[in-house]
């Protein structure tokens, strides 16, 4: 998609509902990708101090970004979560930079939804092995989502688990541009 046709600001709402809903989807529009990068800076630089001012790296040039978009009752939209995926070798995919805005954590499986679309999208692209370096405090969350620890490692001077997803619980999703509502897509073994 070229910059010419990309929307620089959040589009007008399709509908306004009485409660906020969060849609997990591929980040196709420019405003979604820009807000995702801003959220990453807030979480990984300002909040966690893993990076100083900017967490951009070479993987961003090849990665597929995924976002969680919250639609408020007044119809406004904003990115409240993000993750990115990339393929490093045929069939070997990685997820990284998973972040949910503080106000959107533990409210309705936003993080879990991002993990789900990340792995299911990779599966639809021929993934046979999906890996992530998970901050150790988050390993219990991933274990509940059918990941297993392969090794305990240090990344950026912090304890991490090298983890792998059980793809049987992540059936391929090829309509990621539409995505799904957080908390509304049940996990199931393929
Ligand atoms: C980790 C993170 C993405 C989780 O996002 P979230 O939207 O709160 O996750 P969910 O709501 O989908 O969590 C699902 C469940 O796991 C629990 N959970 C969330 N984080 C957890 C953690 N660190 N350890 C154990 N359980 C956790 C939630 O309470 C929830 O349980 P429930 O369904 O019984 O309420 C978010 O806390 C975050 O952005 N943290 C800062 C950045 C970070 O650590 N990134 C990950 C790098 S590996």
């Amino acid at each position: 998609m070229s910059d010419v046709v990309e929307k620089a600001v959040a589009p007008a709402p399709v509908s306004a509902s009485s409660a906020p809903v969060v849609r997990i989807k591929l980040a196709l529009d420019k405003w979604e990708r820009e807000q995702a990068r801003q959220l990453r800076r807030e979480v990984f630089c300002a909040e966690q101090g893993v990076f100083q001012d900017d967490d951009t790296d070479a993987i961003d040039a090849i990665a597929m970004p995924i976002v969680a978009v919250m639609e408020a009752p007044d119809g406004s939209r904003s990115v409240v979560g993000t993750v990115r995926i990339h393929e490093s070798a045929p069939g070997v995919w990685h997820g990284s930079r998973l972040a949910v805005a503080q106000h959107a954590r533990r409210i309705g499986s936003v993080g879990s939804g991002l993990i789900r679309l990340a792995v299911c999208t990779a599966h639809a692209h021929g993934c046979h092995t999906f890996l992530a370096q998970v901050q150790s405090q988050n390993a219990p969350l991933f274990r509940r989502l059918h990941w297993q620890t392969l090794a305990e490692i240090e990344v950026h001077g912090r304890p991490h688990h090298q983890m792998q997803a059980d793809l049987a619980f992540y059936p391929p999703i090829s309509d990621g541009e539409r995505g799904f509502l957080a908390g509304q897509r049940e996990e199931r073994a393929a």
Side-chain angles (χ1 to χ4, degrees), residues 41-111:
R41 286 192 288 275
E42 286 167 17
V43 171
F44 295 114
C45 301
E47 177 187 341
Q48 293 193 330
V50 180
F51 305 95
Q52 200 163 14
D53 300 314
D54 190 5
D55 71 323
T56 303
D57 65 12
I59 292 171
D60 285 309
I62 56 167
M64 192 184 299
I66 293 171
V67 285
V69 176
M70 178 178 281
E71 184 171 324
D74 67 1
S76 60
R77 293 176 182 187
S78 59
V79 169
V80 297
T82 186
V83 69
R84 65 181 185 183
I85 57 175
H86 78 281
E87 188 177 28
S88 64
V92 181
W93 286 71
H94 306 259
S96 54
R97 299 293 199 272
L98 170 67
V100 174
Q102 288 185 350
H103 69 90
R105 291 178 195 166
R106 300 187 172 198
I107 63 162
S109 301
V110 175

Side-chain angles (χ1 to χ4, degrees), residues 10 15 24 34 44-45 67 69 94 96 109 114-115 121 134 138 141 150 154 159 164 175 186-187:
S15 67
I24 312 293
E34 286 179 351
F44 295 114
C45 301
V67 285
V69 176
H94 306 259
S96 54
S109 301
L114 287 163
I115 294 166
T121 298
V134 175
N138 297 324
L141 168 62
L150 303 178
E154 203 169 280
Q164 180 172 359
D175 62 347
E186 291 301 312
E187 66 182 41

Side-chain angles (χ1 to χ4, degrees), residues 148-184:
Q148 64 162 326
T149 295
L150 303 178
E152 295 197 34
I153 56 177
E154 203 169 280
V155 183
H156 305 302
R158 292 159 183 257
H160 282 67
H161 285 220
Q162 175 76 16
M163 299 188 80
Q164 180 172 359
D166 181 347
L167 291 180
F169 290 90
Y170 293 89
I173 292 179
S174 22
D175 62 347
E177 63 285 346
R178 183 169 155 267
F180 52 83
L181 296 183
Q184 292 194 0

